[in-house]
Amino acid sequence: MPVLRLLSAMLGCAILLAPAAEAARPVPAAAPAQAQGQMQAPRLVVVMVVDGLPAEQLQRYRDQFGPGGLRRLLEQGASFTNAHQAHGITVTAIGHSAVLSGAYPYRHGIIGNNWLDHDGKQVYCTEDARYHYIGAETGAHDGTSPALLRVDTLGDQLRYASGNRSKVVTVSGKDRGAILLAGKTGTAYMFMDDSGDFASSTYYMQQHPAWVERFHAAKPQDRYYAKSWKPLLPDSAYADDAPDPAPSLKSPNRFPFTFYSESGAPSADYYARLKASPAVDELTLDFAEAAVDGERLGSNPSGATDLLGVSLSGHDYVNHAYGPESRMSHDHLQQLDRRIARFFDFLDRRVGMDKVLVVLTADHGFANTAEFSQARHIDARRIDAKALATRLDDALGQRFKVGKLVKNVYAPEVYLDYAAIERNRLGRAEVEDAAARILMAQPGIADVFTRTQLEQGLGGATRLRLLMQRAWNRDLSGDLLLVPAAYSSFGGGDSGATHGTPYNYDTNVPLLMMGGRWIRPGVVPQYTEVADIAPTLAQILRVRPPAAAEGRVLTEALR
């Protein structure tokens, strides 16, 4: 899309949202002078995605981390402090798609966790009715395959280059976290909410291998029953966090959190409680370790490089429930740090960390809860998208003296009724412009982009414009793309936090790379994108980059 290259070149004119970001991306560079061909490839590449981890949390709490986990990555690896998920709708599915494809939604086709098709029916990003979970019930919109991902990934290129000898295995607390990292030819395993098991789907295989069945038989998910999540550190360590909400019978929202079931024994409600806690990530890493042993990852008899993708979902659930400013979020990251340290120790014993390349990033950051921001005199709002759609439709009706012109709203997308526009002999662009003006006058809305603007590359050469252009897919997206004001978000209620915007708190995520043979340790302050991960790994592994990758090779961190 030529407009994207034009916009990238023009960004220096007006950077609205990320002042530290470089306006024009550097041209992808070749490998360093010492030939990569003379350097042994990693035996195992481990790509870790911490769901919902803002970069600022990694820096704010780093002095409290233990020596072997996140601190090890920060001190022994390359730390990209100005790394971004560089698209305008920052949610789990889009962020995970970017990590190993190096592509943006306008190319990879994953425009949200959910979206609406042309008939107004909801689509889930990894649903595929042709397949079902192995040994578990499969709902109508459960994720079972990568069919909706329109591009290939680094794992697919790795398997192509090795004649399918390389193994690509991914695991996550969310189906979309595992499936979108696995690409087209990897194998994904995901946490089952009703049983606490990790299952794959019939897209990948017809039955689980023996090592998975052994893992299930041990029932590690039941070890938390009747136990509690308590703070890891002394109370003084959490002094700067937001105070816990006042207790109530409906939702105490304070430590300790006890894992239980109304039935008195482990059951679906108990397993669901594990997700907003350190438990789901401990189990995910337990399963990842079982996969290393069961699949002999990093010890491939052919000598080919294997890839293990680990998506850690718990931090996202905790931040949604309590906000990134909470003691719960703070402690969860400390607990996760210690479990990652044990995972690295395991890899050292099984594979040898000198043969392992580790990448850690996040799919998106997080805004503070609206109430926390309001207490600091920030105009943060919870925007009711349904009420917004009603006001829009009423105003359009008055403006054009016709009936309903809004077909659907699925924030941040608005879908217009083309049939009604044509029937009333109206111009599409005219209706779009009128709708945009109406929406821009609504509290909490900062900007609106229309289909005509996005199709024609109009709207100004700003970073906001570039990020929203990347997030919009001509075939799949709506006719109006809404941008809430900073610290505001779509959704109701009076508690919890969310993400999804083009602002720094949502785009700026950790990007850490560790592997002494391939990665030069140190802080890298230059603007970087998560889309740069796939081309960089492709350079190290001497394989083709994924076909739609637009990132650059991070030569400043390569040996």
Side-chain angles (χ1 to χ4, degrees), residues 134-181:
I134 301 171
E137 184 177 348
T138 308
H141 294 287
D142 285 342
T144 57
S145 99
L148 298 178
L149 181 67
R150 296 181 171 187
V151 299
D152 62 356
T153 65
L154 178 82
D156 298 323
Q157 291 293 346
L158 182 62
R159 284 178 56 75
Y160 166 74
S162 67
N164 288 331
R165 291 188 296 274
S166 292
K167 293 185 177 182
V168 175
V169 178
T170 64
V171 57
S172 176
K174 298 178 181 179
D175 51 29
R176 56 188 181 270
I179 291 169
L180 296 171
L181 284 182

Side-chain angles (χ1 to χ4, degrees), residues 429-515:
E430 181 185 17
V431 175
E432 289 174 358
D433 290 344
R437 288 194 296 271
I438 292 165
L439 289 166
M440 285 285 291
Q442 302 301 310
I445 301 299
D447 213 337
V448 180
F449 293 92
T450 70
R451 175 174 286 274
T452 299
Q453 286 177 322
L454 294 166
E455 285 180 341
Q456 298 180 5
L458 306 174
T462 66
R463 180 167 175 77
L464 174 61
R465 168 73 173 78
L466 175 63
L467 297 188
M468 300 312 292
Q469 180 80 63
R470 287 172 171 173
W472 186 80
N473 185 286
R474 184 187 300 268
D475 300 331
L476 303 171
S477 297
D479 304 301
L480 300 164
L481 199 53
L482 312 184
V483 182
Y487 297 100
S488 293
S489 60
F490 295 105
D494 58 1
S495 64
T498 193
H499 48 86
T501 74
Y503 299 109
N504 278 338
Y505 51 74
D506 278 343
T507 67
N508 187 201
V509 295
L511 176 49
L512 307 172
M513 292 185 173
M514 181 178 73

